[in-house]
Amino acid sequence: MESTLPYGSWPSPLTAAAVASASARFDGARFVAGDVWWAEGVPAEEGRTAVRRRRGDGTVEDVLRAPWSARSRVHEYGGGAWTASDDGVLFFVDGADQRVRAVRLGEEPETLTPPVDGAAYGGLTWQHGSLLAVREQHLGARTPARSIVRIDPDGGGVEELATGSDFLAQPALSPDGTRLAWIGWDHPAMPWDQTTLRVATLDGESEAIALTDGGSSAVQPVWLDNDTLLFSDDRDGRWNLRRASLAQPRTDEAVAPADADSGGALWALGTRWFASLPDGRIVAVRTHGADELVVIEPSSGSVRPLGIDATASASIEDVDGTRVLLIAAGRTATTGVWLVDVDDPGNAVAIAGAGAAAGPEWTPVARHITVDGPHGEVHAFAYPPTNPEVTGDDDELPPYLVWVHGGPTSHVGPSASAKIAYWTSRGVGVLDVNYGGSTGYGRAYRERLKGQWGVVDVDDVVAAASGLAAAGLADPARLAIEGGSAGGWTVLAALVGSDTFAAGVSRYGVGDARALAADTHDFEARYLDGLIGPLPEAEHVYLERSPLSRPDRFRVPLLILQGAEDRVVPPSQAEAIRDALRERGVPHAYVLYEGEGHGFRRAETSVHALESELAFLGRVFGFETPDVPPFELTIGSLTVASTAVGREIVVVDEVTANAARDLAVLVSREPVRPLFAHAVDADWARTLSEHGFTEVDPSDLPAGSASPYFVLPPTLDGD
């Protein structure tokens, strides 16, 4: 029998620790010598990335053992930090020094690349007996030197194969080893704006040729034979597959075009959206809101959906005959590595991850919603409160947490996320928004954000949240907004630009666009040219849009979570927001995680951050969080802590000129009585008295307590 409890306070079997362990982070998968290999983040081992294998008998072991970690920093976001030869030699980028190393099972790694300061490698691939990579060298110039290189697997050195662009990615070697194809682009474009597909012969006797004109986003070249390339290009508004022949006369034709994307934003070097099977068929991801896996017969153009539950973050990793390795999340399974036979998709095998955070009765069913916004349709996925044992009161609407993805050029699909279930099982709904600028809906939707970052994204998340409330599905007075990085920017901009949200959570969010343009790494150094405008011409727009330019508009409680070693959005941004909130007397909390960068990798950080978010919303929205300790907010120079005396107002640093204002706000938000305060000086004692506090007899205090103490007693009705 279901019990009735206030939304947000429902008991749940999902702990933050369980969410951290169920939220696996994968980086590639391969068929190697009859086994399946994959890379997986290990939060319990300081977030390192291990390479593991599953043998034919089902046993799993680490190929790359602790303390080694495969992690690339090329383009800062890395990707493709490992690959393997056909006979089982692992090649990986050492996360500690960015050098490439080789290791055989049971042996110690051997270094293949020289100790060059400022050099990093990524996008490793093993193709036709060659180890290819993207090399990035920081040589003192504003733009690092980048090139496609071939690394001798026996330690004989590094050979440069291609250069000439600010950025290079996705090298592909022809089957006979005579030609190289790759993707390149230059500042100020991002790879989803404009790239060029180039091909060069490796004999050095001719110049590289461009197969695309650089006016669209071409991604992922794959050789079908020595003269034919398969790639994806969005020249017609969607990332569709194309086949180009280099034989005379040259041809370039679409392959089964659709109103969906078989391509996406190239944030990480190892991302793949399709693969060619040995029999000539193509297996591909198609995305329009949700992902779908299909098999394409190029000769006829026929398309057959595989019908498997892979609806979010799907990536085609490797093929072996008709077998395909893919990484994806589904509506009923969290992100995992899957082995699928395209001719027998009903018997897909989960290799790693892909479990349910809890039973299906605890998993919310994603509901795709579309609302009309000021700039057009806005797409989102709503996850309602879901708990088989508890329901809310008929007279109460649930609070909702509105998620804003990062990027901003990114995308979310419907999935059985453990983090989503953590919230929904407690009676807090989640609304995951693909605001204008997101991928997965075509170039026009993506370019809605062009020059409008801080406007369109804010309007769209406001429209989505307001639409949900207007439909009677969410409490309009208890809408919170959360996002990280670029999503954090939208959180902050929405808080200062609208009155829709009653609380916010910013994870390493951008508060000052000018500072971001000046401080960020090279990959995104000119990103804001397209999102806001080029500097210095558009400096006034940067000032108008930046949340820190409007500190007087911060009014609702804000939780700020930040990595101390973040090089994308440094802690100075978060601390400037914190200082603005403190100056304004806005309730807030700032948590700095040592050893964390842009995105949290350690288990203890993930657990603490998630529990902090829950306790924060419980404090702001007034619901109990029985399995998480109470959360204390700072208001100006004041906070509350549990001490030997009791619930005590604590002065942070020193009593400021705004102490009376801050005390009034704190008392109005602190429900626990009695409430104590130590009078650190006569002025503070006078302020406490003016707000109803009375002095405590020293004999009533615990031994060793400094006097004088004041107390705000319970009211007559017991509040």
Side-chain angles (χ1 to χ4, degrees):
M1 180 177 177
E2 289 184 343
S3 58
T4 300
L5 290 173
Y7 287 107
S9 63
W10 298 356
S12 169
L14 278 169
T15 64
V19 171
S21 63
S23 303
R25 175 177 47 82
F26 297 99
D27 180 14
R30 302 286 182 273
F31 291 107
V32 182
D35 297 332
V36 174
W37 292 22
W38 72 95
E40 180 177 353
V42 188
E45 297 178 11
E46 298 188 340
R48 81 175 186 99
T49 300
V51 179
R52 293 173 166 161
R53 70 165 178 167
R54 172 169 164 158
R55 308 183 65 163
D57 61 5
T59 58
V60 174
E61 63 179 341
D62 280 2
V63 179
L64 185 63
R65 300 190 176 102
W68 299 98
S69 178
R71 185 181 182 189
S72 167
R73 291 195 179 275
V74 173
H75 300 172
E76 191 61 34
Y77 296 103
W82 72 280
T83 190
S85 65
D86 299 333
D87 60 351
V89 178
L90 171 67
F91 305 101
F92 71 98
V93 179
D94 184 354
D97 62 10
Q98 294 299 290
R99 297 171 72 185
V100 178
R101 291 179 163 83
V103 61
R104 293 183 178 275
L105 286 168
E107 299 181 7
E108 287 299 307
E110 299 177 358
T111 306
L112 302 183
T113 56
V116 179
D117 289 342
Y121 296 83
L124 271 60
T125 59
W126 179 262
Q127 301 180 33
H128 312 298
S130 290
L131 176 60
L132 304 182
V134 177
R135 181 177 63 188
E136 181 176 275
Q137 294 176 290
H138 294 257
L139 304 175
R142 179 174 175 82
T143 299
R146 297 183 176 91
S147 54
I148 305 294
V149 299
R150 176 159 45 197
I151 302 171
D152 188 332
D154 297 317
V158 179
E159 175 189 5
E160 187 172 272
L161 300 181
T163 187
S165 299
D166 290 340
F167 301 93
L168 302 100
Q170 299 180 315
L173 190 65
S174 62
D176 62 7
T178 64
R179 285 171 165 161
L180 180 73
W182 71 93
I183 299 297
W185 68 97
D186 296 307
H187 284 307
M190 299 300 289
W192 42 86
D193 297 325
Q194 298 173 339
T195 65
T196 301
L197 169 58
R198 290 189 169 90
V199 177
T201 57
L202 295 183
D203 58 15
E205 295 181 0
S206 60
E207 294 291 326
I209 61 172
L211 295 187
T212 61
D213 63 9
S216 57
S217 173
V219 295
Q220 197 189 331
V222 173
W223 291 95
L224 299 178
D225 55 43
N226 290 323
D227 293 312
T228 310
L229 274 169
L230 180 69
F231 63 100
S232 181
D233 193 2
D234 74 342
R235 67 186 69 173
D236 297 321
R238 302 301 299 245
W239 271 298
N240 274 308
L241 299 180
R242 302 193 70 86
R243 180 171 48 203
S245 173
L246 278 69
Q248 298 297 333
R250 289 182 184 161
T251 59
D252 182 345
E253 59 183 358
V255 178
D259 188 21
D261 290 320
S262 292
L266 192 60
W267 285 101
L269 291 172
T271 309
R272 301 171 178 88
W273 294 273
F274 56 88
S276 175
L277 302 176
D279 60 12
R281 291 180 295 171
I282 300 166
V283 59
V285 178
R286 282 186 168 176
T287 305
H288 186 76
D291 293 342
E292 180 184 42
L293 265 69
V294 300
V295 173
I296 301 170
E297 175 55 67
S299 60
S300 65
S302 66
V303 178
R304 174 172 59 88
L306 287 181
I308 64 175
D309 187 20
T311 55
S313 304
S315 177
I316 305 294
E317 297 296 327
D318 201 4
V319 298
D320 177 30
T322 60
R323 300 189 306 160
V324 176
L325 281 177
L326 65 103
I327 294 174
R331 294 179 183 272
T332 59
T334 59
T335 303
V337 180
W338 292 87
L339 174 59
V340 180
D341 190 315
V342 298
D343 292 332
D344 187 19
N347 290 311
V349 177
I351 300 296
E361 67 274 18
W362 297 91
T363 303
V365 177
R367 173 190 172 196
H368 177 256
I369 68 168
T370 302
V371 300
D372 291 328
H375 311 281
E377 287 188 340
V378 182
H379 302 282
F381 294 99
Y383 299 85
T386 303
N387 186 311
E389 300 172 356
V390 185
T391 188
D393 192 285
D394 291 341
D395 296 330
E396 182 187 13
L397 289 172
Y400 257 78
L401 184 56
V402 178
W403 280 2
V404 189
H405 65 67
T409 313
S410 187
H411 173 262
V412 293
S415 66
S417 160
K419 186 176 179 182
I420 289 175
Y422 179 84
W423 290 104
T424 58
S425 63
R426 287 169 167 77
V428 179
V430 173
L431 181 66
D432 214 353
V433 184
N434 280 317
Y435 50 89
S438 302
T439 59
Y441 299 92
R443 179 177 273 269
Y445 194 81
R446 192 166 77 246
E447 291 189 340
R448 184 188 291 179
L449 201 60
K450 190 173 183 179
Q452 295 297 310
W453 194 39
V455 178
V456 166
D457 50 323
V458 170
D459 289 346
D460 284 1
V461 296
V462 166
S466 300
L468 196 73
L473 301 174
D475 184 347
R478 293 192 294 172
L479 297 173
I481 184 169
E482 176 197 356
S485 189
W489 156 276
T490 305
V491 167
L492 299 172
L495 294 182
V496 301
S498 79
D499 296 319
T500 302
F501 302 103
V505 179
S506 172
R507 289 178 284 108
Y508 35 90
V510 179
D512 183 341
R514 287 187 307 166
L516 177 66
D519 296 340
T520 197
H521 55 103
D522 185 61
F523 180 72
E524 295 182 85
R526 303 291 299 278
Y527 193 10
L528 298 191
D529 284 28
L531 292 174
I532 298 177
L535 288 170
E537 297 88 343
E539 184 171 10
H540 66 286
V541 183
Y542 283 67
L543 286 170
E544 291 169 2
R545 301 268 182 84
S546 293
L548 269 172
S549 297
R550 296 172 283 171
D552 57 304
R553 290 286 298 165
F554 282 114
R555 297 171 184 170
V556 301
L558 179 65
L559 172 62
I560 308 167
L561 306 173
Q562 176 69 38
E565 298 178 10
D566 193 333
R567 294 189 292 184
V568 179
V569 182
S572 57
Q573 293 251 356
E575 288 160 6
I577 295 291
R578 175 204 60 192
D579 294 345
L581 297 172
R582 179 178 292 182
E583 177 66 24
R584 300 287 306 169
V586 177
H588 68 280
Y590 173 56
V591 184
L592 183 68
Y593 294 108
E594 296 295 335
E596 293 285 9
H598 197 66
F600 302 148
R601 292 173 174 264
R602 297 179 175 179
E604 60 270 26
T605 302
S606 298
V607 169
H608 184 271
L610 187 54
E611 290 185 343
S612 296
E613 291 179 34
L614 176 63
F616 167 74
L617 289 190
R619 173 55 58 95
V620 174
F621 287 158
F623 58 76
E624 298 291 331
T625 56
D627 55 342
V628 175
F631 195 82
E632 308 306 342
L633 296 175
T634 298
I635 301 174
S637 60
L638 307 177
T639 188
V640 176
S642 295
T643 69
V645 175
R647 294 287 290 169
E648 179 178 344
I649 295 174
V650 177
V651 177
V652 180
D653 296 329
E654 61 183 14
V655 177
T656 68
N658 294 319
R661 175 204 66 189
D662 301 337
L663 180 62
V665 175
L666 187 151
V667 168
S668 70
R669 288 182 171 274
E670 174 57 49
V672 177
R673 300 288 188 274
L675 184 61
F676 294 88
H678 176 224
V680 295
D681 57 35
D683 288 340
W684 185 226
R686 187 179 308 108
T687 300
L688 291 169
S689 297
E690 291 171 350
H691 285 79
F693 285 74
T694 58
E695 189 169 354
V696 180
D697 187 323
S699 64
D700 293 333
L701 295 171
S705 299
S707 295
Y709 258 91
F710 283 70
V711 63
L712 185 65
T715 58
L716 293 177
D717 61 4
D719 291 341

PDB file of all heavy atoms in Angstrom, residues 589-600:
ATOM      1  N   ALA A 589      25.950  28.804  -1.021  1.00  0.00           N
ATOM      2  CA  ALA A 589      27.014  27.955  -0.495  1.00  0.00           C
ATOM      3  C   ALA A 589      28.015  27.728  -1.614  1.00  0.00           C
ATOM      4  O   ALA A 589      27.631  27.593  -2.783  1.00  0.00           O
ATOM      5  CB  ALA A 589      26.468  26.622   0.007  1.00  0.00           C
ATOM      6  N   TYR A 590      29.284  27.717  -1.265  1.00  0.00           N
ATOM      7  CA  TYR A 590      30.365  27.518  -2.233  1.00  0.00           C
ATOM      8  C   TYR A 590      31.208  26.342  -1.760  1.00  0.00           C
ATOM      9  O   TYR A 590      31.702  26.336  -0.630  1.00  0.00           O
ATOM     10  CB  TYR A 590      31.215  28.781  -2.337  1.00  0.00           C
ATOM     11  CG  TYR A 590      32.462  28.640  -3.194  1.00  0.00           C
ATOM     12  CD1 TYR A 590      32.369  28.223  -4.519  1.00  0.00           C
ATOM     13  CD2 TYR A 590      33.722  28.932  -2.680  1.00  0.00           C
ATOM     14  CE1 TYR A 590      33.511  28.099  -5.309  1.00  0.00           C
ATOM     15  CE2 TYR A 590      34.859  28.824  -3.461  1.00  0.00           C
ATOM     16  CZ  TYR A 590      34.747  28.413  -4.777  1.00  0.00           C
ATOM     17  OH  TYR A 590      35.874  28.291  -5.554  1.00  0.00           O
ATOM     18  N   VAL A 591      31.363  25.338  -2.634  1.00  0.00           N
ATOM     19  CA  VAL A 591      32.145  24.155  -2.304  1.00  0.00           C
ATOM     20  C   VAL A 591      33.256  24.011  -3.348  1.00  0.00           C
ATOM     21  O   VAL A 591      32.976  23.886  -4.551  1.00  0.00           O
ATOM     22  CB  VAL A 591      31.283  22.878  -2.278  1.00  0.00           C
ATOM     23  CG1 VAL A 591      32.125  21.686  -1.826  1.00  0.00           C
ATOM     24  CG2 VAL A 591      30.076  23.059  -1.357  1.00  0.00           C
ATOM     25  N   LEU A 592      34.495  24.034  -2.899  1.00  0.00           N
ATOM     26  CA  LEU A 592      35.659  23.882  -3.774  1.00  0.00           C
ATOM     27  C   LEU A 592      36.254  22.502  -3.554  1.00  0.00           C
ATOM     28  O   LEU A 592      36.608  22.143  -2.423  1.00  0.00           O
ATOM     29  CB  LEU A 592      36.690  24.960  -3.470  1.00  0.00           C
ATOM     30  CG  LEU A 592      37.932  24.978  -4.364  1.00  0.00           C
ATOM     31  CD1 LEU A 592      37.575  25.394  -5.781  1.00  0.00           C
ATOM     32  CD2 LEU A 592      38.992  25.921  -3.781  1.00  0.00           C
ATOM     33  N   TYR A 593      36.371  21.715  -4.630  1.00  0.00           N
ATOM     34  CA  TYR A 593      36.878  20.346  -4.530  1.00  0.00           C
ATOM     35  C   TYR A 593      38.327  20.289  -5.003  1.00  0.00           C
ATOM     36  O   TYR A 593      38.631  20.482  -6.185  1.00  0.00           O
ATOM     37  CB  TYR A 593      36.013  19.403  -5.367  1.00  0.00           C
ATOM     38  CG  TYR A 593      34.601  19.262  -4.853  1.00  0.00           C
ATOM     39  CD1 TYR A 593      33.532  19.839  -5.539  1.00  0.00           C
ATOM     40  CD2 TYR A 593      34.332  18.562  -3.684  1.00  0.00           C
ATOM     41  CE1 TYR A 593      32.232  19.713  -5.072  1.00  0.00           C
ATOM     42  CE2 TYR A 593      33.034  18.430  -3.203  1.00  0.00           C
ATOM     43  CZ  TYR A 593      31.996  19.011  -3.897  1.00  0.00           C
ATOM     44  OH  TYR A 593      30.718  18.888  -3.430  1.00  0.00           O
ATOM     45  N   GLU A 594      39.220  20.027  -4.065  1.00  0.00           N
ATOM     46  CA  GLU A 594      40.637  19.884  -4.406  1.00  0.00           C
ATOM     47  C   GLU A 594      40.845  18.643  -5.275  1.00  0.00           C
ATOM     48  O   GLU A 594      40.192  17.619  -5.083  1.00  0.00           O
ATOM     49  CB  GLU A 594      41.480  19.771  -3.135  1.00  0.00           C
ATOM     50  CG  GLU A 594      41.456  21.015  -2.249  1.00  0.00           C
ATOM     51  CD  GLU A 594      42.085  22.229  -2.921  1.00  0.00           C
ATOM     52  OE1 GLU A 594      42.941  22.040  -3.815  1.00  0.00           O
ATOM     53  OE2 GLU A 594      41.727  23.361  -2.549  1.00  0.00           O
ATOM     54  N   GLY A 595      41.751  18.769  -6.237  1.00  0.00           N
ATOM     55  CA  GLY A 595      42.084  17.630  -7.088  1.00  0.00           C
ATOM     56  C   GLY A 595      41.114  17.393  -8.229  1.00  0.00           C
ATOM     57  O   GLY A 595      41.307  16.467  -9.017  1.00  0.00           O
ATOM     58  N   GLU A 596      40.068  18.215  -8.333  1.00  0.00           N
ATOM     59  CA  GLU A 596      39.097  18.056  -9.408  1.00  0.00           C
ATOM     60  C   GLU A 596      39.275  19.155 -10.452  1.00  0.00           C
ATOM     61  O   GLU A 596      39.660  20.283 -10.135  1.00  0.00           O
ATOM     62  CB  GLU A 596      37.668  18.100  -8.866  1.00  0.00           C
ATOM     63  CG  GLU A 596      37.295  16.919  -7.984  1.00  0.00           C
ATOM     64  CD  GLU A 596      37.052  15.635  -8.769  1.00  0.00           C
ATOM     65  OE1 GLU A 596      37.332  15.598  -9.982  1.00  0.00           O
ATOM     66  OE2 GLU A 596      36.561  14.674  -8.155  1.00  0.00           O
ATOM     67  N   GLY A 597      38.980  18.808 -11.701  1.00  0.00           N
ATOM     68  CA  GLY A 597      39.076  19.759 -12.791  1.00  0.00           C
ATOM     69  C   GLY A 597      37.711  20.110 -13.333  1.00  0.00           C
ATOM     70  O   GLY A 597      36.753  20.308 -12.583  1.00  0.00           O
ATOM     71  N   HIS A 598      37.613  20.144 -14.667  1.00  0.00           N
ATOM     72  CA  HIS A 598      36.361  20.530 -15.323  1.00  0.00           C
ATOM     73  C   HIS A 598      35.499  19.281 -15.498  1.00  0.00           C
ATOM     74  O   HIS A 598      35.567  18.575 -16.504  1.00  0.00           O
ATOM     75  CB  HIS A 598      36.668  21.165 -16.676  1.00  0.00           C
ATOM     76  CG  HIS A 598      35.527  21.953 -17.238  1.00  0.00           C
ATOM     77  ND1 HIS A 598      35.058  23.107 -16.645  1.00  0.00           N
ATOM     78  CD2 HIS A 598      34.749  21.756 -18.336  1.00  0.00           C
ATOM     79  CE1 HIS A 598      34.055  23.589 -17.359  1.00  0.00           C
ATOM     80  NE2 HIS A 598      33.835  22.785 -18.373  1.00  0.00           N
ATOM     81  N   GLY A 599      34.675  19.014 -14.509  1.00  0.00           N
ATOM     82  CA  GLY A 599      33.928  17.755 -14.439  1.00  0.00           C
ATOM     83  C   GLY A 599      34.510  16.922 -13.321  1.00  0.00           C
ATOM     84  O   GLY A 599      35.726  16.805 -13.192  1.00  0.00           O
ATOM     85  N   PHE A 600      33.651  16.350 -12.500  1.00  0.00           N
ATOM     86  CA  PHE A 600      34.102  15.641 -11.313  1.00  0.00           C
ATOM     87  C   PHE A 600      34.287  14.157 -11.619  1.00  0.00           C
ATOM     88  O   PHE A 600      33.386  13.514 -12.172  1.00  0.00           O
ATOM     89  CB  PHE A 600      33.104  15.833 -10.173  1.00  0.00           C
ATOM     90  CG  PHE A 600      32.867  17.288  -9.816  1.00  0.00           C
ATOM     91  CD1 PHE A 600      31.625  17.707  -9.355  1.00  0.00           C
ATOM     92  CD2 PHE A 600      33.876  18.220  -9.954  1.00  0.00           C
ATOM     93  CE1 PHE A 600      31.404  19.039  -9.027  1.00  0.00           C
ATOM     94  CE2 PHE A 600      33.670  19.559  -9.634  1.00  0.00           C
ATOM     95  CZ  PHE A 600      32.422  19.966  -9.167  1.00  0.00           C
TER      96      PHE A 600
END
